[in-house]
Amino acid sequence: MIFKKRFINAVIICTFVSMGSSAQVKIKRTDIEDISNSRALMLDVAFTEIVNRHKINTAGVALIKSRQVVWLNHYGFQSPGVPASTNTLFNIASLTKTITAETVLKLVAQGKLSLDESVAPYWLDPDLKDNLNVHNLTPRMLLSHMSGFMNWRYFADDGKLDFIHKPGTSFGYSGEGFEYLAKYAENKMGVSFDKLVQATIFDPLGMDNASIIVDKKLFNRIAKPLDKKGNFYGYYCHPQGYCSKEGSYSAAANLVISVADYAKFLISSMNGDGLPPKLKNDRNTMQGIQFTQREIDCGDTIDILCPIKLGYGLGWSMSLLEDDMLIGHRGTNWTVVSIAYYYQGSGDGLIIFFNAPNKAGLAAMIDALELLDPDSPEIHGYKLRLARSH
Protein backbone atom coordinates (compact mmCIF):
# COMPACT_ATOMS: atom_id res chain seq x y z
CA MET A 1 0.00 0.00 0.00
CA ILE A 2 1.07 3.57 -0.67
CA PHE A 3 0.13 5.91 2.16
CA LYS A 4 -0.43 9.62 1.76
CA LYS A 5 -2.04 12.42 3.74
CA ARG A 6 -4.55 15.05 2.74
CA PHE A 7 -5.09 18.17 4.79
CA ILE A 8 -8.38 19.99 4.24
CA ASN A 9 -9.67 22.77 6.52
CA ALA A 10 -7.26 21.62 9.20
CA VAL A 11 -9.18 18.32 9.29
CA ILE A 12 -6.47 15.76 8.65
CA ILE A 13 -7.47 12.40 7.28
CA CYS A 14 -4.93 9.67 6.59
CA THR A 15 -5.77 8.03 3.29
CA PHE A 16 -4.46 5.17 1.25
CA VAL A 17 -4.60 3.84 -2.25
CA SER A 18 -4.79 0.06 -2.45
CA MET A 19 -2.51 -1.75 -4.88
CA GLY A 20 -4.27 -5.03 -5.30
CA SER A 21 -6.20 -5.82 -2.15
CA SER A 22 -7.40 -3.89 0.86
CA ALA A 23 -8.10 -4.87 4.44
CA GLN A 24 -11.74 -4.99 5.40
CA VAL A 25 -12.60 -3.42 8.75
CA LYS A 26 -15.76 -4.65 10.40
CA ILE A 27 -17.90 -1.65 11.22
CA LYS A 28 -20.36 -1.79 14.04
CA ARG A 29 -22.96 0.70 15.17
CA THR A 30 -22.47 2.01 18.68
CA ASP A 31 -24.74 4.53 20.36
CA ILE A 32 -23.43 6.85 23.04
CA GLU A 33 -23.67 5.39 26.55
CA ASP A 34 -26.51 6.76 28.67
CA ILE A 35 -25.89 8.79 31.82
CA SER A 36 -26.72 7.24 35.16
CA ASN A 37 -26.07 9.14 38.39
CA SER A 38 -22.90 7.16 38.99
CA ARG A 39 -21.68 7.69 35.41
CA ALA A 40 -22.38 11.43 35.68
CA LEU A 41 -20.18 11.61 38.77
CA MET A 42 -17.45 9.62 37.04
CA LEU A 43 -17.59 11.82 33.94
CA ASP A 44 -17.39 14.97 36.04
CA VAL A 45 -14.23 13.75 37.75
CA ALA A 46 -12.71 12.50 34.48
CA PHE A 47 -13.51 15.67 32.55
CA THR A 48 -12.06 17.82 35.31
CA GLU A 49 -8.87 15.77 35.07
CA ILE A 50 -8.73 16.21 31.28
CA VAL A 51 -9.13 19.98 31.57
CA ASN A 52 -6.49 20.26 34.29
CA ARG A 53 -4.00 17.93 32.60
CA HIS A 54 -4.13 19.72 29.26
CA LYS A 55 -4.39 23.19 30.82
CA ILE A 56 -7.63 24.02 29.00
CA ASN A 57 -8.73 27.60 29.66
CA THR A 58 -12.46 26.93 29.35
CA ALA A 59 -14.55 23.89 28.50
CA GLY A 60 -18.23 23.22 27.92
CA VAL A 61 -19.76 19.83 27.20
CA ALA A 62 -23.21 18.36 26.58
CA LEU A 63 -24.27 14.78 25.94
CA ILE A 64 -27.50 14.02 24.09
CA LYS A 65 -29.46 10.75 24.24
CA SER A 66 -32.45 10.19 21.96
CA ARG A 67 -32.57 13.92 21.17
CA GLN A 68 -32.56 14.97 24.83
CA VAL A 69 -29.75 16.64 26.76
CA VAL A 70 -28.86 14.23 29.58
CA TRP A 71 -25.61 15.77 30.82
CA LEU A 72 -24.23 19.30 30.53
CA ASN A 73 -21.32 20.82 32.38
CA HIS A 74 -18.64 23.52 32.34
CA TYR A 75 -15.02 23.48 33.45
CA GLY A 76 -12.13 25.89 33.84
CA PHE A 77 -12.52 29.65 33.84
CA GLN A 78 -14.51 32.04 31.65
CA SER A 79 -11.80 34.59 32.46
CA PRO A 80 -9.21 34.73 35.25
CA GLY A 81 -11.08 34.42 38.54
CA VAL A 82 -14.47 33.80 36.89
CA PRO A 83 -15.45 30.10 36.73
CA ALA A 84 -17.09 28.86 33.53
CA SER A 85 -20.86 28.51 33.81
CA THR A 86 -24.09 28.32 31.81
CA ASN A 87 -23.57 32.06 31.25
CA THR A 88 -20.31 31.49 29.37
CA LEU A 89 -20.24 32.12 25.63
CA PHE A 90 -17.82 30.17 23.46
CA ASN A 91 -16.43 31.20 20.11
CA ILE A 92 -17.17 28.09 18.04
CA ALA A 93 -15.21 28.96 14.88
CA SER A 94 -16.42 26.93 11.86
CA LEU A 95 -19.40 25.48 13.73
CA THR A 96 -20.88 28.87 12.81
CA LYS A 97 -21.48 27.38 9.36
CA THR A 98 -24.21 25.12 10.73
CA ILE A 99 -26.17 28.15 11.94
CA THR A 100 -25.71 29.81 8.54
CA ALA A 101 -26.80 26.66 6.72
CA GLU A 102 -29.98 26.18 8.76
CA THR A 103 -30.88 29.86 8.30
CA VAL A 104 -30.65 29.53 4.53
CA LEU A 105 -32.45 26.17 4.45
CA LYS A 106 -35.38 27.48 6.48
CA LEU A 107 -35.66 30.46 4.15
CA VAL A 108 -35.66 28.00 1.23
CA ALA A 109 -38.46 26.07 2.97
CA GLN A 110 -40.42 29.33 3.23
CA GLY A 111 -40.00 29.94 -0.51
CA LYS A 112 -37.87 33.04 0.02
CA LEU A 113 -34.61 31.59 -1.31
CA SER A 114 -33.79 28.83 -3.79
CA LEU A 115 -31.08 26.18 -3.64
CA ASP A 116 -30.56 25.92 -7.38
CA GLU A 117 -30.74 29.45 -8.74
CA SER A 118 -27.71 31.46 -9.76
CA VAL A 119 -26.46 33.71 -6.97
CA ALA A 120 -24.99 36.17 -9.49
CA PRO A 121 -28.09 38.40 -9.84
CA TYR A 122 -27.99 39.03 -6.08
CA TRP A 123 -24.29 39.07 -5.26
CA LEU A 124 -21.22 39.43 -7.44
CA ASP A 125 -17.92 39.77 -5.61
CA PRO A 126 -15.80 42.52 -7.19
CA ASP A 127 -12.94 40.03 -7.64
CA LEU A 128 -15.20 37.92 -9.90
CA LYS A 129 -16.92 40.57 -11.99
CA ASP A 130 -15.23 39.38 -15.18
CA ASN A 131 -15.42 35.65 -14.46
CA LEU A 132 -18.18 33.84 -16.32
CA ASN A 133 -18.09 30.89 -13.89
CA VAL A 134 -19.85 32.97 -11.29
CA HIS A 135 -23.14 32.71 -13.19
CA ASN A 136 -23.17 28.94 -12.62
CA LEU A 137 -22.70 29.24 -8.87
CA THR A 138 -25.73 28.21 -6.77
CA PRO A 139 -26.57 28.14 -3.04
CA ARG A 140 -26.51 24.32 -3.16
CA MET A 141 -22.90 24.39 -4.35
CA LEU A 142 -21.95 26.88 -1.64
CA LEU A 143 -23.61 24.82 1.10
CA SER A 144 -21.99 21.54 0.00
CA HIS A 145 -18.50 23.04 -0.52
CA MET A 146 -18.71 22.51 -4.26
CA SER A 147 -18.27 26.22 -5.06
CA GLY A 148 -14.82 25.89 -6.58
CA PHE A 149 -13.40 28.49 -4.18
CA MET A 150 -10.34 27.96 -2.00
CA ASN A 151 -10.93 28.18 1.75
CA TRP A 152 -9.99 31.88 2.09
CA ARG A 153 -8.90 34.39 -0.53
CA TYR A 154 -5.93 35.49 1.58
CA PHE A 155 -4.33 32.12 0.78
CA ALA A 156 -4.02 33.26 -2.85
CA ASP A 157 -0.79 34.91 -3.94
CA ASP A 158 -2.67 38.05 -4.98
CA GLY A 159 -5.13 37.92 -2.07
CA LYS A 160 -8.11 37.86 -4.44
CA LEU A 161 -11.09 35.51 -4.64
CA ASP A 162 -11.05 33.22 -7.64
CA PHE A 163 -12.26 29.80 -8.73
CA ILE A 164 -9.71 27.00 -8.45
CA HIS A 165 -12.29 24.59 -9.90
CA LYS A 166 -15.40 25.15 -11.96
CA PRO A 167 -18.46 25.44 -9.70
CA GLY A 168 -20.11 22.10 -9.01
CA THR A 169 -17.27 19.93 -10.30
CA SER A 170 -15.05 19.26 -7.27
CA PHE A 171 -15.16 19.32 -3.48
CA GLY A 172 -13.18 22.06 -1.74
CA TYR A 173 -13.90 23.21 1.80
CA SER A 174 -14.47 26.96 1.68
CA GLY A 175 -15.18 29.58 4.28
CA GLU A 176 -15.40 32.06 1.42
CA GLY A 177 -18.31 30.03 0.08
CA PHE A 178 -20.34 30.63 3.24
CA GLU A 179 -19.55 34.34 3.28
CA TYR A 180 -20.72 34.43 -0.35
CA LEU A 181 -23.88 32.55 0.60
CA ALA A 182 -24.72 35.11 3.30
CA LYS A 183 -24.25 37.99 0.85
CA TYR A 184 -26.63 36.29 -1.58
CA ALA A 185 -29.26 35.79 1.14
CA GLU A 186 -29.13 39.30 2.55
CA ASN A 187 -29.14 40.96 -0.87
CA LYS A 188 -32.06 38.89 -2.15
CA MET A 189 -34.02 39.39 1.09
CA GLY A 190 -33.03 43.02 1.58
CA VAL A 191 -32.19 42.24 5.23
CA SER A 192 -28.74 42.02 6.82
CA PHE A 193 -27.71 38.43 7.38
CA ASP A 194 -27.31 38.78 11.14
CA LYS A 195 -30.95 39.87 11.35
CA LEU A 196 -32.00 36.91 9.19
CA VAL A 197 -30.21 34.56 11.62
CA GLN A 198 -31.85 36.27 14.59
CA ALA A 199 -35.35 36.07 13.12
CA THR A 200 -35.02 32.59 11.58
CA ILE A 201 -32.99 30.67 14.18
CA PHE A 202 -32.32 32.51 17.44
CA ASP A 203 -35.75 34.00 18.18
CA PRO A 204 -37.89 30.93 17.33
CA LEU A 205 -35.67 28.66 19.43
CA GLY A 206 -35.34 31.09 22.34
CA MET A 207 -31.58 31.24 21.87
CA ASP A 208 -30.86 34.29 24.00
CA ASN A 209 -27.22 33.35 24.52
CA ALA A 210 -25.93 33.47 20.96
CA SER A 211 -24.59 36.21 18.72
CA ILE A 212 -23.28 36.14 15.17
CA ILE A 213 -22.20 39.79 15.31
CA VAL A 214 -19.29 41.29 17.24
CA ASP A 215 -20.93 42.98 20.23
CA LYS A 216 -18.75 44.60 22.90
CA LYS A 217 -21.55 44.25 25.44
CA LEU A 218 -20.96 40.49 25.39
CA PHE A 219 -17.18 40.55 25.79
CA ASN A 220 -17.27 39.96 29.54
CA ARG A 221 -19.22 36.72 28.95
CA ILE A 222 -17.00 35.25 26.23
CA ALA A 223 -14.46 32.60 27.23
CA LYS A 224 -11.27 34.64 27.23
CA PRO A 225 -8.88 33.44 24.51
CA LEU A 226 -5.36 33.02 25.89
CA ASP A 227 -2.32 31.50 24.24
CA LYS A 228 -0.09 28.92 25.93
CA LYS A 229 1.84 31.70 27.68
CA GLY A 230 -1.36 33.30 28.97
CA ASN A 231 -1.25 36.23 26.53
CA PHE A 232 -4.54 37.90 25.60
CA TYR A 233 -4.77 39.66 22.22
CA GLY A 234 -8.38 40.81 22.46
CA TYR A 235 -11.77 39.28 21.74
CA TYR A 236 -12.29 38.36 18.08
CA CYS A 237 -8.57 39.01 17.56
CA HIS A 238 -5.71 37.03 16.08
CA PRO A 239 -2.21 37.02 17.61
CA GLN A 240 -0.87 38.60 14.42
CA GLY A 241 -2.92 41.70 15.14
CA TYR A 242 -6.14 41.41 13.12
CA CYS A 243 -9.41 42.00 15.01
CA SER A 244 -12.99 41.76 13.74
CA LYS A 245 -14.79 45.10 13.86
CA GLU A 246 -17.65 45.97 16.21
CA GLY A 247 -20.97 45.18 14.51
CA SER A 248 -19.44 42.92 11.86
CA TYR A 249 -20.33 39.27 11.35
CA SER A 250 -18.88 36.18 9.76
CA ALA A 251 -21.17 33.55 8.26
CA ALA A 252 -18.30 31.04 8.37
CA ALA A 253 -16.75 31.61 11.82
CA ASN A 254 -16.74 33.62 15.07
CA LEU A 255 -20.29 33.03 16.32
CA VAL A 256 -20.38 32.99 20.13
CA ILE A 257 -22.90 30.82 21.93
CA SER A 258 -23.57 28.96 25.17
CA VAL A 259 -23.42 25.18 25.26
CA ALA A 260 -27.11 24.98 26.19
CA ASP A 261 -28.18 27.17 23.27
CA TYR A 262 -26.14 25.17 20.79
CA ALA A 263 -27.75 22.02 22.18
CA LYS A 264 -31.20 23.54 21.51
CA PHE A 265 -30.12 24.27 17.97
CA LEU A 266 -28.57 20.85 17.35
CA ILE A 267 -31.66 18.99 18.56
CA SER A 268 -33.90 21.25 16.46
CA SER A 269 -31.76 20.46 13.44
CA MET A 270 -31.93 16.71 14.18
CA ASN A 271 -35.70 17.02 14.22
CA GLY A 272 -35.72 18.96 10.96
CA ASP A 273 -37.79 21.76 12.47
CA GLY A 274 -39.03 24.11 9.78
CA LEU A 275 -37.95 21.84 6.93
CA PRO A 276 -40.30 19.71 4.82
CA PRO A 277 -39.25 16.03 4.65
CA LYS A 278 -37.78 16.32 1.14
CA LEU A 279 -35.59 19.26 2.07
CA LYS A 280 -34.47 17.59 5.30
CA ASN A 281 -33.54 14.48 3.34
CA ASP A 282 -31.68 16.62 0.81
CA ARG A 283 -29.76 18.34 3.59
CA ASN A 284 -28.80 14.97 5.09
CA THR A 285 -27.62 13.49 1.79
CA MET A 286 -23.89 13.71 1.11
CA GLN A 287 -23.45 15.98 -1.89
CA GLY A 288 -19.86 17.11 -1.60
CA ILE A 289 -17.65 14.01 -1.31
CA GLN A 290 -14.24 14.42 0.35
CA PHE A 291 -13.13 10.81 0.51
CA THR A 292 -14.43 7.49 -0.77
CA GLN A 293 -13.97 4.13 0.96
CA ARG A 294 -10.76 3.23 -0.88
CA GLU A 295 -9.15 6.45 0.37
CA ILE A 296 -10.03 6.08 4.04
CA ASP A 297 -7.78 4.38 6.56
CA CYS A 298 -8.66 4.51 10.25
CA GLY A 299 -5.22 3.37 11.32
CA ASP A 300 -4.44 0.26 13.30
CA THR A 301 -7.33 0.75 15.71
CA ILE A 302 -10.39 -1.29 14.78
CA ASP A 303 -12.35 -0.29 17.87
CA ILE A 304 -13.62 2.93 16.33
CA LEU A 305 -16.38 3.22 13.75
CA CYS A 306 -14.55 3.61 10.45
CA PRO A 307 -16.45 5.62 7.81
CA ILE A 308 -17.27 4.29 4.37
CA LYS A 309 -17.40 7.77 2.91
CA LEU A 310 -16.70 11.32 4.16
CA GLY A 311 -18.17 14.55 2.88
CA TYR A 312 -20.80 17.23 3.31
CA GLY A 313 -24.51 17.51 2.89
CA LEU A 314 -26.05 20.97 2.83
CA GLY A 315 -23.89 22.72 5.40
CA TRP A 316 -23.17 19.72 7.63
CA SER A 317 -20.20 17.35 7.74
CA MET A 318 -21.11 13.69 7.26
CA SER A 319 -19.46 10.36 7.95
CA LEU A 320 -21.28 7.50 6.25
CA LEU A 321 -21.04 4.38 8.42
CA GLU A 322 -22.08 0.84 7.58
CA ASP A 323 -25.47 1.20 9.26
CA ASP A 324 -25.73 4.86 10.27
CA MET A 325 -24.66 8.40 9.47
CA LEU A 326 -22.70 10.75 11.73
CA ILE A 327 -23.78 14.36 11.11
CA GLY A 328 -22.13 17.40 12.63
CA HIS A 329 -19.28 19.87 12.26
CA ARG A 330 -15.90 20.83 13.70
CA GLY A 331 -14.43 24.22 14.53
CA THR A 332 -10.78 25.10 14.96
CA ASN A 333 -8.65 28.21 15.19
CA TRP A 334 -5.65 29.26 17.27
CA THR A 335 -7.67 29.13 20.51
CA VAL A 336 -10.77 27.09 19.58
CA VAL A 337 -11.22 23.34 19.24
CA SER A 338 -14.92 22.52 19.06
CA ILE A 339 -17.11 19.71 17.78
CA ALA A 340 -20.79 18.84 17.68
CA TYR A 341 -22.34 15.76 16.11
CA TYR A 342 -25.08 13.16 16.34
CA TYR A 343 -25.81 9.69 15.04
CA GLN A 344 -28.77 9.93 12.69
CA GLY A 345 -30.29 6.61 13.69
CA SER A 346 -30.30 6.98 17.45
CA GLY A 347 -30.42 10.75 17.91
CA ASP A 348 -27.47 10.41 20.29
CA GLY A 349 -24.87 13.14 20.11
CA LEU A 350 -22.42 15.36 21.89
CA ILE A 351 -21.09 18.89 22.01
CA ILE A 352 -17.59 19.77 23.17
CA PHE A 353 -16.30 23.34 23.21
CA PHE A 354 -12.69 24.02 24.22
CA ASN A 355 -11.23 27.49 24.60
CA ALA A 356 -7.55 26.56 24.63
CA PRO A 357 -4.31 26.89 22.68
CA ASN A 358 -4.73 24.75 19.59
CA LYS A 359 -2.31 21.92 20.43
CA ALA A 360 -3.68 21.55 23.97
CA GLY A 361 -7.25 21.58 22.64
CA LEU A 362 -6.52 18.85 20.11
CA ALA A 363 -4.95 16.60 22.73
CA ALA A 364 -7.83 17.20 25.15
CA MET A 365 -10.39 16.52 22.40
CA ILE A 366 -8.95 13.05 21.82
CA ASP A 367 -9.26 12.25 25.53
CA ALA A 368 -12.76 13.75 25.72
CA LEU A 369 -14.04 11.74 22.76
CA GLU A 370 -12.50 8.54 24.09
CA LEU A 371 -14.26 9.22 27.38
CA LEU A 372 -17.71 10.12 26.01
CA ASP A 373 -17.88 8.16 22.74
CA PRO A 374 -14.95 5.73 22.52
CA ASP A 375 -16.11 4.34 19.16
CA SER A 376 -16.32 7.81 17.57
CA PRO A 377 -15.08 7.98 13.97
CA GLU A 378 -13.76 11.45 14.80
CA ILE A 379 -11.01 10.21 17.13
CA HIS A 380 -8.52 9.13 14.47
CA GLY A 381 -8.75 12.46 12.64
CA TYR A 382 -7.92 14.38 15.80
CA LYS A 383 -4.94 12.12 16.46
CA LEU A 384 -3.59 12.91 13.02
CA ARG A 385 -4.19 16.62 13.47
CA LEU A 386 -2.34 16.54 16.79
CA ALA A 387 0.58 14.68 15.18
CA ARG A 388 0.75 17.36 12.51
CA SER A 389 0.91 20.11 15.14
CA HIS A 390 4.17 18.77 16.61
Side-chain angles (χ1 to χ4, degrees):
M1 293 181 181
I2 299 174
F3 286 82
K4 59 184 180 178
K5 290 184 180 179
R6 296 184 182 180
F7 308 107
I8 296 182
N9 185 38
V11 177
I12 308 172
I13 301 170
C14 186
T15 66
F16 69 88
V17 178
S18 174
M19 299 183 66
S21 63
S22 60
Q24 296 296 316
V25 178
K26 184 178 180 180
I27 303 169
K28 61 176 181 174
R29 178 182 176 203
T30 304
D31 299 336
I32 296 175
E33 186 177 345
D34 205 351
I35 303 292
S36 62
N37 289 338
S38 60
R39 179 164 167 76
L41 291 172
M42 181 277 290
L43 289 179
D44 190 46
V45 172
F47 222 87
T48 298
E49 193 276 332
I50 289 171
V51 167
N52 291 339
R53 175 155 44 90
H54 294 289
K55 296 180 172 60
I56 303 302
N57 299 325
T58 328
V61 57
L63 197 148
I64 296 166
K65 282 293 296 180
S66 301
R67 307 185 185 195
Q68 299 280 337
V69 175
V70 295
W71 185 66
L72 188 150
N73 224 327
H74 298 80
Y75 302 88
F77 291 87
Q78 180 175 296
S79 57
V82 180
S85 69
T86 54
N87 192 56
T88 301
L89 303 179
F90 290 83
N91 185 315
I92 58 171
S94 286
L95 274 169
T96 302
K97 294 181 179 70
T98 60
I99 300 282
T100 295
E102 291 297 292
T103 299
V104 169
L105 289 169
K106 288 189 177 185
L107 292 172
V108 168
Q110 296 167 18
K112 297 173 181 177
L113 300 177
S114 171
L115 285 176
D116 297 307
E117 67 181 350
S118 171
V119 300
Y122 307 100
W123 173 242
L124 181 60
D125 188 283
D127 289 351
L128 301 174
K129 60 183 176 63
D130 298 320
N131 195 317
L132 295 179
N133 283 321
V134 76
H135 298 286
N136 298 320
L137 188 62
T138 67
R140 183 185 299 275
M141 295 173 191
L142 295 165
L143 281 165
S144 58
H145 296 285
M146 297 287 287
S147 64
F149 295 146
M150 63 175 57
N151 195 359
W152 294 107
R153 71 183 74 197
Y154 56 75
F155 291 144
D157 291 339
D158 60 2
K160 293 185 177 181
L161 182 63
D162 200 357
F163 292 98
I164 56 176
H165 303 289
K166 289 185 178 181
T169 63
S170 181
F171 177 89
Y173 187 91
S174 179
E176 289 285 356
F178 272 68
E179 303 294 358
Y180 214 101
L181 182 68
K183 286 292 187 184
Y184 151 77
E186 68 181 10
N187 286 345
K188 183 169 184 178
M189 297 286 296
V191 179
S192 63
F193 191 70
D194 59 289
K195 291 182 178 177
L196 291 176
V197 172
Q198 188 71 42
T200 307
I201 303 294
F202 295 163
D203 288 346
L205 292 177
M207 294 169 61
D208 299 323
N209 299 295
S211 178
I212 197 170
I213 61 170
V214 177
D215 183 353
K216 289 182 179 179
K217 295 192 297 294
L218 298 176
F219 283 8
N220 66 344
R221 294 181 55 197
I222 298 174
K224 194 169 188 176
L226 305 171
D227 68 12
K228 63 182 179 181
K229 295 181 179 179
N231 295 318
F232 174 61
Y233 301 93
Y235 294 100
Y236 298 95
C237 293
H238 190 275
Q240 294 180 346
Y242 172 78
C243 298
S244 298
K245 295 179 181 178
E246 169 80 1
S248 68
Y249 75 83
S250 170
N254 275 346
L255 183 140
V256 295
I257 193 168
S258 69
V259 176
D261 266 12
Y262 195 87
K264 284 183 188 178
F265 166 75
L266 185 62
I267 292 169
S268 175
S269 176
M270 285 191 218
N271 294 335
D273 293 344
L275 303 182
K278 183 179 183 304
L279 184 56
K280 180 186 176 184
N281 182 68
D282 209 15
R283 181 198 64 185
N284 292 351
T285 299
M286 196 180 298
Q287 302 188 37
I289 299 174
Q290 278 179 293
F291 300 104
T292 60
Q293 187 171 18
R294 69 183 183 86
E295 298 172 311
I296 298 170
D297 173 30
C298 291
D300 57 4
T301 303
I302 62 172
D303 295 333
I304 65 171
L305 292 162
C306 190
I308 296 169
K309 190 183 296 182
L310 296 171
Y312 280 77
L314 297 178
W316 293 82
S317 171
M318 296 182 175
S319 298
L320 179 62
L321 308 173
E322 188 174 78
D323 59 358
D324 209 336
M325 178 88 81
L326 189 77
I327 299 175
H329 215 287
R330 307 159 208 87
T332 308
N333 65 28
W334 71 277
T335 189
V336 173
V337 178
S338 59
I339 192 168
Y341 67 73
Y342 63 93
Y343 294 95
Q344 189 175 28
S346 65
D348 293 356
L350 56 79
I351 298 164
I352 304 171
F353 295 162
F354 286 144
N355 164 45
N358 183 260
K359 186 176 176 180
L362 292 173
M365 184 63 77
I366 294 166
D367 287 350
L369 288 172
E370 289 179 339
L371 174 68
L372 298 172
D373 186 17
D375 301 297
S376 174
E378 295 287 345
I379 292 172
H380 189 61
Y382 278 106
K383 287 181 177 180
L384 290 167
R385 294 166 69 188
L386 180 61
R388 188 192 180 201
S389 72
H390 287 292

